[in-house]
Amino acid sequence: MSRCKMIALSSAGILASVVTSPAAGEVRYDPASRVFRLTGGDTEYDIAIDEQGYLRPAYWGKALDAATPITLPLLPAPPVIGAMDPPSSVTAQEYAGQGGGIVTEPGIKVAFADGNRDLVLKYRSHRIAGETLTIELADISRPFTVTLRYTVDPATGIVGRSATARNDGKAPVRIDQIAAATLTLPYRPGYRLSYLAGRQLAEFGFAQQDVGPALAVLESRRGGTSNHMSPWFAIDQKGVSDEEHGPVWFGTLGWSGSWRISVGTDLIGRVRIAGGYNPYDFSWQLRPGETLETPIFYVGYSDDGMGGASRLQHRFQIAGILPGNGRPKVRPVLYNSWEATEFAIDEAGQIALAEKAARIGVERFVMDDGWFGKRDSDRAGLGDWTPSRTKFPNGLGPLIDRVHKLGMEFGLWVEPEMVNPDSDLYRAHPDWVINFTGRPRTESRNQLTLNLARADVRDHVLKVLDELLTTNDIQYLKWDYNRSFSEPGWPEQPVADQQRLYVDYTRNLYHILAELKKRHPRVEIESCSSGGGRVDLGILRYTNQVWTSDNTDAFDRLTIQDGFTHAFTPAIMMAWTTDVPNWATGRTVDLSYRFLSAMQGGLGVGNNLNKWGAADFDVATRMIADYKTIRETVQTGALYRLARPGDGGPTVDTLYVADDKRQAILFHMLQNYQARDDVPAIRLRGLDPDRRYTVRLAGGGKLPDGIPASALGSRWMSQGVTIPLRGDFKGAALIFE
Ligand code: DGJ
């Protein structure tokens, strides 16, 4: 039984000596010290109520040791505080209202109807139910409360944090800004921020910068998650942390609308982090008795470097976020004809491709864009979700039946939130799109965004999709979303409620997805947005996989996948082999390299199979057969980034180890070889040192000289393995069993 021995609080700061060893997955409150302790995995997150009733961040890091009294220099007052810096700002709060003179980022900022904009939140009550803690904060004089919610995951220690504002007054209160959580790290030198930034065709670029007083703002202002930035951050310590060692704090928002995460140091070098709805263009009128709830900010800590942080997040997402009640199904191998045919599709052409796909072991055949309405290009048809009469004169039935007879599932592309002005839907309902009355409607890819925040639009979209899934035997939807908001108006609402658009849109999107899952529980959904523009822990509660990027170049993908796996599990990361030269990069690499790149997540084939020769079919058949023997490990095992793109070496080496350690796969991808390159042995990690592993090459073939056919795990981890590749863009995958 753990115990808090002593904790002393002062207005200048909190100094705590704690002797304790909490069990995993617990929330406890010590009334003597007024400290809440949340523990899970190897992590601990503590909060304290100070003597004035403010809620203070107390500790976030490795679980505190049982035997050693630990002093927590939580909020030390600097030796001198000038008059310019109010103590309320210097002493960090766990979740502050904008008020009492704070000049740092608040959790919430409001305006009362009488013009008062001062909100000072203090502890009122709390409740502990299993692994969930709720703490109610109340303003010092007004009937306005914020309830903070914390749920700790026992296995990983990841804490899901959110906030709910409630107006108990008699007049409306305008909320201008509301974060799911604010977080504080004590002063330490060398804090470094990692984040993922890019654009369409180059999503998930891993970037780093020092954390300093200049606020770093990661965000999307465009209504959706975005291809530009991912709602994820990690902070480590330069010179202390690396890929496999040292502290890393991380967090990711479960929200598919406009979001913001800000990171910076305050005036005494403590890191302050805030994450939640993007305050940009945000305004919410909270009427008497109403509440506004934020999305969840999932935050965690690893003592094992960036790799350890990734593995915790992967585990958490598989067990706690993805559909499947903690056991998501492995990703079937899919075929998708988009790159092969684009809009030039019809029944005979799709059947011809399906027959070839079935031959190589594909399990799910997906028909992409172009099957409906007048959709012969991206200029028309979106919104009219009935099969094209010319391309599918007998509806989708004959194609679906044929695909099923070939032993595959059938999947279909949709983009339900969008409409082309050249469509029957838009002609009937021009008011259904997001717009400002009398202002231009900016088109992007010749399309406009339906205002899903409207109940009638939401119900229409749900009805159309429900009918599609009811009248056709469909196992999977690829749900696309190919533009950002513009002119974000909602003219039918009272002016004070028009900016609810950003939140109500996303909530209704989740409603449609949840309802479809309920009515059609066996249908799986892929989240796609011009590639990886909608990947976040909000949408992942309803979708089984994501389209990682429209960039299918096998070499570029290694960089994209490297960034992706910092925040998200490979269990959802779809990758296809496609034709060469690659349309986006002009690069030509051989088919086995393309397979080895795509096999590092959920495998798909996107080639024009009509152009393949016997040798291509042979490579594909062998690779797909082997992929099926390793996919569970790749998708749900422990990932180790042994050599990363951009590390300076000629290779990218990625290792996946099964949870029971009975299998491991090492992907060794050589970019280009120069005679001067030293080829270091690749030392594996995470194997059972006492178990003997045999090794074989994915796709078959003789093991290179010098690699023993079997050896103990300890040998693979200490001496490593040397794979003598030569040339440009060559790859090999070793399967250890
Ligand atoms: C964008 C997606 O990312 C592509 O894979 C493809 O589905 C096109 N849309 C179709 O319009």
Side-chain angles (χ1 to χ4, degrees), residues 343-646:
F343 297 98
I345 57 175
D346 60 18
E347 187 183 299
Q350 290 289 297
I351 287 177
L353 288 168
E355 283 168 350
K356 295 187 176 81
R359 265 172 56 194
I360 56 174
V362 164
E363 297 159 308
R364 172 181 283 171
F365 182 85
V366 183
M367 179 157 69
D368 209 280
D369 199 351
W371 59 269
F372 51 91
K374 299 216 167 54
R375 190 73 171 166
D376 297 323
S377 73
D378 61 18
R379 286 186 295 278
L382 283 178
D384 301 338
W385 298 106
T386 42
S388 152
R389 291 230 183 94
T390 47
K391 296 173 184 172
F392 298 93
N394 303 307
L396 299 180
L399 171 63
I400 296 178
D401 287 350
R402 185 72 191 121
V403 166
H404 287 158
K405 287 214 175 75
L406 288 165
M408 297 182 290
E409 296 182 351
F410 181 78
L412 193 63
W413 179 95
V414 289
E415 192 178 3
E417 299 153 78
M418 300 292 166
V419 66
N420 287 114
D422 185 1
S423 67
D424 293 341
L425 183 72
Y426 188 73
R427 281 183 282 272
H429 299 285
D431 56 321
W432 275 12
V433 299
I434 293 176
N435 77 97
F436 287 119
T437 307
R439 304 288 300 172
R441 301 173 175 199
T442 302
E443 290 177 24
S444 192
R445 206 193 189 207
N446 308 302
Q447 65 198 52
L448 297 166
T449 310
L450 290 172
N451 185 352
L452 225 56
R454 285 174 56 140
D456 52 355
V457 176
R458 177 200 64 198
D459 294 345
H460 169 80
V461 169
L462 176 59
K463 182 164 163 282
V464 165
L465 292 171
D466 185 33
E467 274 170 17
L468 195 63
L469 295 176
T470 305
T471 50
N472 297 286
D473 193 1
I474 292 172
Q475 285 70 52
Y476 157 97
L477 289 178
K478 174 177 173 182
W479 184 303
D480 211 340
Y481 173 83
N482 285 309
R483 61 158 296 171
S484 304
F485 286 12
S486 64
E487 296 94 18
W490 184 359
E492 296 77 19
Q493 284 281 82
V495 172
D497 294 327
Q498 289 186 2
Q499 282 158 284
R500 291 173 63 124
L501 172 76
Y502 294 94
V503 174
D504 283 350
Y505 183 103
T506 306
R507 285 182 175 173
N508 282 349
L509 168 67
Y510 293 161
H511 168 83
I512 296 169
L513 287 163
E515 199 55 37
L516 286 176
K517 285 256 160 198
K518 201 154 73 192
R519 296 184 198 175
H520 307 277
R522 279 197 288 277
V523 173
E524 293 203 337
I525 300 177
E526 174 174 291
S527 175
C528 170
S529 173
S530 293
R534 202 186 248 166
V535 185
D536 60 77
L537 268 55
I539 203 84
L540 287 176
R541 288 204 173 276
Y542 310 98
T543 52
N544 309 76
Q545 60 189 50
V546 303
W547 182 222
T548 314
S549 179
D550 274 352
N551 184 345
T552 53
D553 177 291
F555 173 63
D556 273 28
R557 266 301 177 100
L558 297 180
T559 304
I560 293 170
Q561 293 173 180
D562 170 79
F564 185 99
T565 62
H566 278 80
F568 305 108
T569 164
I572 56 164
M573 183 177 74
M574 295 307 293
W576 311 338
T577 64
T578 51
D579 290 346
V580 288
N582 183 271
W583 73 273
T585 62
R587 186 176 289 115
T588 296
V589 298
D590 64 35
L591 187 58
S592 60
Y593 182 93
R594 282 175 269 161
F595 264 100
L596 291 173
S597 171
M599 283 160 67
Q600 301 189 35
L603 174 64
V605 175
N607 300 79
N608 188 342
L609 303 181
N610 297 323
K611 291 192 192 152
W612 270 11
D616 301 315
F617 280 105
D618 178 50
V619 169
T621 306
R622 283 187 286 111
M623 286 296 195
I624 290 173
D626 261 345
Y627 176 72
K628 289 176 183 170
T629 70
I630 61 170
R631 65 175 149 190
E632 189 155 355
T633 301
V634 167
Q635 293 174 23
T636 64
L639 172 94
Y640 296 88
R641 292 179 287 261
L642 303 181
R644 298 186 44 223

Side-chain angles (χ1 to χ4, degrees), residues 275-296:
Y277 292 135
N278 196 330
Y280 169 80
D281 205 26
F282 182 92
S283 179
W284 190 284
Q285 190 81 354
L286 201 62
R287 297 198 168 72
E290 285 183 349
T291 57
L292 173 63
E293 190 177 348
T294 70
I296 302 176

